[in-house]
Amino acid sequence: MSKLIISVFGATGQQGGSVVRELLKVSNFKVRALTRNPDSDSSKLLKEKGVEVVKCDDSDSKEVIQEALKNSYGVFSVTFPFGRNDSEYEIGKKVADAALGAGVKHFVFSGLAPCNKISNGRYNVPHFDNKYKVEEYVRQLSKENPSFVSSFVYAPFYYQNFKTFFQPKKSNENGQSENYSISIPSDPSGKPLDMADIDNIGSIVSEIFSNQNKYSGIVIPFSGDALTGPEIATIFSNVTGKNVTFNYIPPSVFSKFGFPGAEEIAEMFAYYNEFGAFNDLDKTIASKITKLQSLEEYLKNSQYKLE
Protein backbone atom coordinates (compact mmCIF):
# COMPACT_ATOMS: atom_id res chain seq x y z
CA MET A 1 0.00 0.00 0.00
CA SER A 2 1.44 3.38 -1.03
CA LYS A 3 1.94 6.02 1.65
CA LEU A 4 -0.34 9.02 1.93
CA ILE A 5 1.41 12.31 1.14
CA ILE A 6 0.86 15.10 3.66
CA SER A 7 2.07 18.51 2.45
CA VAL A 8 3.10 20.94 5.18
CA PHE A 9 3.34 24.71 4.84
CA GLY A 10 5.81 26.50 7.12
CA ALA A 11 7.70 23.23 7.53
CA THR A 12 10.83 24.92 8.88
CA GLY A 13 8.86 27.08 11.33
CA GLN A 14 7.55 26.37 14.82
CA GLN A 15 4.12 24.98 13.93
CA GLY A 16 5.00 23.30 10.66
CA GLY A 17 8.24 21.91 12.05
CA SER A 18 6.40 20.21 14.90
CA VAL A 19 3.84 18.79 12.46
CA VAL A 20 6.60 17.38 10.23
CA ARG A 21 8.35 15.70 13.16
CA GLU A 22 5.19 13.96 14.33
CA LEU A 23 4.03 12.91 10.87
CA LEU A 24 7.39 11.24 10.27
CA LYS A 25 6.54 8.87 13.14
CA VAL A 26 3.46 7.55 11.28
CA SER A 27 4.40 4.70 8.97
CA ASN A 28 1.70 5.25 6.34
CA PHE A 29 2.44 8.98 5.86
CA LYS A 30 4.99 10.51 3.50
CA VAL A 31 5.83 14.12 4.35
CA ARG A 32 6.23 16.85 1.75
CA ALA A 33 7.68 20.11 3.08
CA LEU A 34 6.80 23.28 1.21
CA THR A 35 9.43 25.98 1.62
CA ARG A 36 10.59 29.11 -0.17
CA ASN A 37 14.22 27.99 0.12
CA PRO A 38 14.82 24.26 -0.44
CA ASP A 39 18.59 24.84 -0.21
CA SER A 40 18.57 26.24 3.33
CA ASP A 41 20.22 24.34 6.17
CA SER A 42 16.79 23.62 7.68
CA SER A 43 15.57 22.18 4.38
CA LYS A 44 18.67 20.02 4.05
CA LEU A 45 18.04 18.58 7.51
CA LEU A 46 14.48 17.71 6.47
CA LYS A 47 15.77 15.92 3.38
CA GLU A 48 18.15 13.89 5.54
CA LYS A 49 15.12 12.72 7.55
CA GLY A 50 13.36 11.46 4.44
CA VAL A 51 11.14 14.48 3.85
CA GLU A 52 10.36 15.48 0.27
CA VAL A 53 11.22 19.19 0.03
CA VAL A 54 9.45 21.25 -2.62
CA LYS A 55 10.04 24.90 -3.48
CA CYS A 56 6.71 26.57 -2.80
CA ASP A 57 5.47 29.39 -0.62
CA ASP A 58 1.95 30.58 0.09
CA SER A 59 2.86 33.85 -1.62
CA ASP A 60 3.12 31.94 -4.92
CA SER A 61 0.25 31.87 -7.39
CA LYS A 62 -2.62 29.46 -6.94
CA GLU A 63 -1.41 27.51 -9.98
CA VAL A 64 2.10 27.08 -8.56
CA ILE A 65 0.73 25.99 -5.19
CA GLN A 66 -1.73 23.58 -6.78
CA GLU A 67 1.10 21.94 -8.74
CA ALA A 68 3.18 21.62 -5.55
CA LEU A 69 0.24 19.91 -3.80
CA LYS A 70 -0.32 17.38 -6.58
CA ASN A 71 -1.01 13.83 -5.27
CA SER A 72 -1.28 15.05 -1.66
CA TYR A 73 -3.83 13.34 0.55
CA GLY A 74 -3.59 16.03 3.21
CA VAL A 75 -2.40 19.60 3.67
CA PHE A 76 -1.45 21.43 6.85
CA SER A 77 -1.79 25.17 6.35
CA VAL A 78 -0.60 27.92 8.68
CA THR A 79 -0.66 31.55 7.60
CA PHE A 80 1.50 34.38 8.90
CA PRO A 81 -0.04 37.78 9.56
CA PHE A 82 2.81 40.25 9.49
CA GLY A 83 5.05 41.55 6.72
CA ARG A 84 2.90 40.33 3.84
CA ASN A 85 1.74 42.14 0.73
CA ASP A 86 -1.53 40.21 0.45
CA SER A 87 -3.98 39.93 3.33
CA GLU A 88 -3.85 36.82 5.45
CA TYR A 89 -7.38 36.00 4.34
CA GLU A 90 -6.52 36.18 0.64
CA ILE A 91 -3.47 33.97 1.17
CA GLY A 92 -5.39 31.37 3.18
CA LYS A 93 -8.24 31.36 0.66
CA LYS A 94 -5.77 30.87 -2.21
CA VAL A 95 -4.08 27.92 -0.49
CA ALA A 96 -7.46 26.28 0.21
CA ASP A 97 -8.54 26.75 -3.41
CA ALA A 98 -5.26 25.25 -4.60
CA ALA A 99 -5.68 22.27 -2.28
CA LEU A 100 -9.19 21.65 -3.55
CA GLY A 101 -7.97 21.93 -7.14
CA ALA A 102 -5.17 19.46 -6.45
CA GLY A 103 -7.64 16.85 -5.20
CA VAL A 104 -6.60 17.04 -1.53
CA LYS A 105 -8.84 14.94 0.73
CA HIS A 106 -8.09 16.45 4.13
CA PHE A 107 -7.21 20.10 4.80
CA VAL A 108 -6.07 21.05 8.30
CA PHE A 109 -5.89 24.76 9.02
CA SER A 110 -4.24 26.47 11.99
CA GLY A 111 -6.84 29.03 12.98
CA LEU A 112 -7.79 31.37 15.80
CA ALA A 113 -10.97 32.58 17.47
CA PRO A 114 -13.06 35.37 15.87
CA CYS A 115 -12.42 38.19 18.37
CA ASN A 116 -14.58 40.71 16.57
CA LYS A 117 -17.55 38.34 16.34
CA ILE A 118 -17.31 37.05 19.92
CA SER A 119 -16.97 40.56 21.37
CA ASN A 120 -19.79 41.99 19.22
CA GLY A 121 -17.38 44.30 17.45
CA ARG A 122 -15.58 45.68 20.52
CA TYR A 123 -12.23 44.03 19.77
CA ASN A 124 -10.50 44.01 16.40
CA VAL A 125 -7.52 41.65 16.12
CA PRO A 126 -6.85 41.16 12.39
CA HIS A 127 -4.58 38.12 12.68
CA PHE A 128 -7.36 36.34 14.63
CA ASP A 129 -10.30 37.56 12.58
CA ASN A 130 -8.64 36.96 9.21
CA LYS A 131 -7.80 33.40 10.19
CA TYR A 132 -11.41 32.86 11.16
CA LYS A 133 -12.52 34.23 7.77
CA VAL A 134 -10.27 31.60 6.17
CA GLU A 135 -11.88 28.95 8.37
CA GLU A 136 -15.35 30.03 7.28
CA TYR A 137 -14.28 29.90 3.64
CA VAL A 138 -12.74 26.44 4.05
CA ARG A 139 -15.88 25.16 5.78
CA GLN A 140 -17.94 26.38 2.83
CA LEU A 141 -15.61 24.57 0.41
CA SER A 142 -16.12 21.36 2.41
CA LYS A 143 -19.88 21.85 2.42
CA GLU A 144 -19.92 22.27 -1.36
CA ASN A 145 -17.34 19.50 -1.91
CA PRO A 146 -17.92 16.69 0.62
CA SER A 147 -14.75 14.83 -0.43
CA PHE A 148 -12.72 17.86 0.72
CA VAL A 149 -12.72 17.35 4.49
CA SER A 150 -11.49 20.16 6.73
CA SER A 151 -10.38 20.32 10.35
CA PHE A 152 -8.99 23.11 12.52
CA VAL A 153 -6.48 23.52 15.32
CA TYR A 154 -6.17 26.63 17.53
CA ALA A 155 -2.91 27.45 19.32
CA PRO A 156 -2.72 29.74 22.39
CA PHE A 157 0.10 32.00 23.61
CA TYR A 158 3.36 30.04 23.17
CA TYR A 159 5.61 29.24 26.13
CA GLN A 160 8.41 29.91 23.63
CA ASN A 161 7.49 33.61 23.82
CA PHE A 162 9.18 33.66 27.23
CA LYS A 163 12.47 33.09 25.41
CA THR A 164 11.94 35.97 23.02
CA PHE A 165 9.69 39.03 23.26
CA PHE A 166 8.27 38.33 26.74
CA GLN A 167 11.50 37.10 28.29
CA PRO A 168 11.86 38.06 31.97
CA LYS A 169 14.05 41.13 32.35
CA LYS A 170 16.64 41.61 35.07
CA SER A 171 15.57 44.54 37.21
CA ASN A 172 18.51 44.90 39.59
CA GLU A 173 21.20 43.07 41.51
CA ASN A 174 21.62 43.11 45.26
CA GLY A 175 24.51 40.98 46.39
CA GLN A 176 23.59 37.40 45.62
CA SER A 177 19.95 38.25 45.01
CA GLU A 178 18.91 38.78 41.38
CA ASN A 179 15.47 40.14 40.64
CA TYR A 180 13.57 39.73 37.39
CA SER A 181 10.20 40.88 36.14
CA ILE A 182 7.80 39.52 33.52
CA SER A 183 5.83 42.27 31.80
CA ILE A 184 2.67 41.17 30.00
CA PRO A 185 -0.65 42.92 29.25
CA SER A 186 -2.46 40.06 31.01
CA ASP A 187 -4.79 41.47 33.66
CA PRO A 188 -4.52 39.47 36.92
CA SER A 189 -8.21 40.20 37.57
CA GLY A 190 -9.25 38.93 34.13
CA LYS A 191 -9.32 35.50 32.51
CA PRO A 192 -6.18 33.40 33.07
CA LEU A 193 -3.84 33.31 30.07
CA ASP A 194 -4.04 30.09 28.05
CA MET A 195 -0.56 28.92 27.05
CA ALA A 196 1.14 25.88 25.57
CA ASP A 197 4.34 24.46 24.17
CA ILE A 198 3.82 24.98 20.44
CA ASP A 199 5.66 21.69 19.85
CA ASN A 200 2.49 19.95 21.10
CA ILE A 201 0.66 20.96 17.92
CA GLY A 202 2.34 18.22 15.87
CA SER A 203 0.83 15.34 17.81
CA ILE A 204 -2.62 16.89 17.51
CA VAL A 205 -2.38 17.45 13.76
CA SER A 206 -1.00 13.95 13.21
CA GLU A 207 -3.99 12.50 15.08
CA ILE A 208 -6.36 14.62 12.98
CA PHE A 209 -4.87 13.30 9.73
CA SER A 210 -5.00 9.74 11.07
CA ASN A 211 -8.73 10.00 11.86
CA GLN A 212 -10.34 12.03 9.11
CA ASN A 213 -13.97 11.14 9.84
CA LYS A 214 -13.65 11.67 13.58
CA TYR A 215 -12.28 15.19 13.22
CA SER A 216 -14.15 16.36 10.13
CA GLY A 217 -15.29 19.93 10.78
CA ILE A 218 -13.90 19.89 14.33
CA VAL A 219 -11.94 22.69 16.01
CA ILE A 220 -9.30 21.50 18.47
CA PRO A 221 -7.92 24.25 20.72
CA PHE A 222 -5.06 23.28 23.00
CA SER A 223 -3.76 24.72 26.25
CA GLY A 224 -1.15 23.26 28.57
CA ASP A 225 -1.81 25.82 31.30
CA ALA A 226 -4.15 28.72 32.07
CA LEU A 227 -2.48 31.06 34.56
CA THR A 228 -2.60 34.60 35.87
CA GLY A 229 0.49 36.79 35.65
CA PRO A 230 1.42 36.36 39.33
CA GLU A 231 1.06 32.55 38.96
CA ILE A 232 3.38 32.65 35.94
CA ALA A 233 5.96 34.62 37.92
CA THR A 234 5.77 32.19 40.85
CA ILE A 235 6.46 29.22 38.56
CA PHE A 236 9.45 31.02 37.04
CA SER A 237 10.78 31.73 40.53
CA ASN A 238 10.36 28.12 41.64
CA VAL A 239 12.01 26.63 38.54
CA THR A 240 14.88 29.10 38.11
CA GLY A 241 15.63 29.83 41.74
CA LYS A 242 15.51 33.56 40.96
CA ASN A 243 13.13 36.17 42.34
CA VAL A 244 10.64 36.79 39.50
CA THR A 245 7.75 39.21 39.85
CA PHE A 246 4.89 40.06 37.52
CA ASN A 247 4.45 43.52 36.03
CA TYR A 248 1.02 44.17 34.53
CA ILE A 249 1.08 46.54 31.57
CA PRO A 250 -2.47 47.63 30.70
CA PRO A 251 -3.22 47.06 27.00
CA SER A 252 -3.93 50.81 26.64
CA VAL A 253 -0.31 51.47 27.66
CA PHE A 254 1.19 48.56 25.70
CA SER A 255 -0.51 49.77 22.52
CA LYS A 256 1.58 52.97 22.62
CA PHE A 257 4.96 51.22 22.72
CA GLY A 258 5.43 52.09 19.07
CA PHE A 259 6.88 48.92 17.58
CA PRO A 260 5.16 47.29 14.57
CA GLY A 261 2.17 45.27 15.79
CA ALA A 262 2.05 46.81 19.28
CA GLU A 263 -1.54 48.00 18.91
CA GLU A 264 -2.73 44.64 17.61
CA ILE A 265 -0.98 42.67 20.35
CA ALA A 266 -2.48 45.02 22.95
CA GLU A 267 -5.93 44.47 21.48
CA MET A 268 -5.36 40.71 21.53
CA PHE A 269 -4.55 40.79 25.25
CA ALA A 270 -7.54 43.02 25.96
CA TYR A 271 -9.66 40.35 24.29
CA TYR A 272 -7.86 37.56 26.20
CA ASN A 273 -8.45 39.38 29.48
CA GLU A 274 -12.20 39.43 28.94
CA PHE A 275 -12.95 36.27 26.95
CA GLY A 276 -9.88 34.02 27.18
CA ALA A 277 -8.15 32.55 24.14
CA PHE A 278 -10.87 30.06 23.25
CA ASN A 279 -14.07 31.50 24.73
CA ASP A 280 -16.47 28.51 25.04
CA LEU A 281 -14.60 25.96 22.89
CA ASP A 282 -13.86 22.51 24.31
CA LYS A 283 -10.25 22.45 25.54
CA THR A 284 -10.44 18.83 26.68
CA ILE A 285 -10.22 17.27 23.20
CA ALA A 286 -6.49 17.98 22.81
CA SER A 287 -5.55 16.58 26.22
CA LYS A 288 -7.16 13.25 25.22
CA ILE A 289 -4.93 13.15 22.14
CA THR A 290 -1.55 13.99 23.65
CA LYS A 291 0.18 15.01 26.88
CA LEU A 292 0.19 18.80 26.97
CA GLN A 293 3.13 20.23 28.89
CA SER A 294 2.42 22.57 31.76
CA LEU A 295 4.48 25.75 32.01
CA GLU A 296 6.50 24.25 34.86
CA GLU A 297 7.21 21.11 32.85
CA TYR A 298 8.22 23.16 29.82
CA LEU A 299 10.64 25.30 31.80
CA LYS A 300 12.22 22.25 33.45
CA ASN A 301 12.37 20.13 30.29
CA SER A 302 13.90 22.96 28.25
CA GLN A 303 16.35 23.70 31.09
CA TYR A 304 15.21 27.31 31.13
CA LYS A 305 17.78 29.61 32.70
CA LEU A 306 17.74 33.26 33.70
CA GLU A 307 21.16 34.80 33.22
Side-chain angles (χ1 to χ4, degrees), residues 14 25 28 30 49 80 94 111 114 134 138 141 212 216 219 229 235 265 281 288 292:
Q14 288 183 298
K25 299 175 184 178
N28 63 319
K30 174 180 170 61
K49 294 176 181 177
F80 301 96
K94 178 179 60 178
V134 175
V138 171
L141 287 183
Q212 182 194 59
S216 174
V219 174
I235 290 170
I265 292 172
L281 290 173
K288 295 171 185 174
L292 299 171

Side-chain angles (χ1 to χ4, degrees), residues 54-303:
V54 174
K55 180 176 173 55
C56 178
D57 184 68
D58 60 15
S59 63
D60 290 331
S61 69
K62 176 194 166 188
E63 290 72 25
V64 169
I65 296 172
Q66 185 168 317
E67 180 64 24
L69 298 180
K70 190 190 301 183
N71 299 321
S72 296
Y73 163 79
V75 168
F76 173 73
S77 173
V78 54
T79 54
F80 301 96
F82 303 112
R84 311 301 293 269
N85 292 325
D86 296 326
S87 78
E88 193 173 4
Y89 168 68
E90 291 299 330
I91 289 171
K93 177 177 178 291
K94 178 179 60 178
V95 171
D97 285 337
L100 177 65
V104 167
K105 301 299 182 189
H106 197 176
F107 188 85
V108 179
F109 181 68
S110 179
L112 288 169
C115 301
N116 195 263
K117 180 180 177 181
I118 291 170
S119 68
N120 290 316
R122 288 190 296 112
Y123 296 116
N124 180 32
V125 188
H127 73 279
F128 277 59
D129 296 318
N130 284 331
K131 281 185 172 68
Y132 187 71
K133 284 174 65 180
V134 175
E135 177 181 330
E136 288 185 309
Y137 182 78
V138 171
R139 287 186 181 278
Q140 187 61 33
L141 287 183
S142 291
K143 183 177 179 180
E144 295 169 357
N145 304 273
S147 63
F148 183 73
V149 171
S150 53
S151 306
F152 308 91
V153 58
Y154 285 10
F157 181 90
Y158 303 0
Y159 297 147
Q160 282 80 355
N161 292 330
F162 292 121
K163 292 183 176 181
T164 55
F165 189 82
F166 290 103
Q167 185 172 10
K169 299 291 194 297
K170 185 180 289 188
S171 49
N172 67 344
E173 289 189 30
N174 180 15
Q176 298 299 312
S177 175
E178 295 184 356
N179 298 318
Y180 294 79
S181 64
I182 297 176
S183 300
I184 312 175
S186 181
D187 189 342
S189 66
K191 296 273 190 179
L193 180 62
D194 277 299
M195 300 172 289
D197 177 0
I198 194 56
D199 282 347
N200 287 152
I201 197 172
S203 298
I204 296 166
V205 172
S206 178
E207 167 71 9
I208 291 171
F209 279 126
S210 297
N211 293 277
Q212 182 194 59
N213 292 336
K214 182 176 180 179
Y215 297 109
S216 174
I218 300 295
V219 174
I220 303 181
F222 66 100
S223 173
D225 243 332
L227 302 167
T228 64
E231 289 171 337
I232 292 169
T234 297
I235 290 170
F236 268 88
S237 296
N238 292 341
V239 172
T240 65
K242 311 288 187 180
N243 181 37
V244 182
T245 57
F246 174 69
N247 176 38
Y248 172 52
I249 304 175
S252 59
V253 174
F254 191 95
S255 68
K256 296 179 174 62
F257 280 0
F259 64 86
E263 290 184 3
E264 187 167 338
I265 292 172
E267 190 84 345
M268 176 188 78
F269 273 99
Y271 169 82
Y272 278 170
N273 291 337
E274 184 169 348
F275 294 97
F278 306 125
N279 196 28
D280 58 358
L281 290 173
D282 184 358
K283 293 193 294 183
T284 68
I285 303 173
S287 60
K288 295 171 185 174
I289 292 173
T290 190
K291 170 72 171 70
L292 299 171
Q293 283 203 101
S294 67
L295 176 60
E296 181 176 1
E297 290 168 336
Y298 170 79
L299 295 177
K300 287 179 177 178
N301 291 338
S302 64
Q303 299 182 320

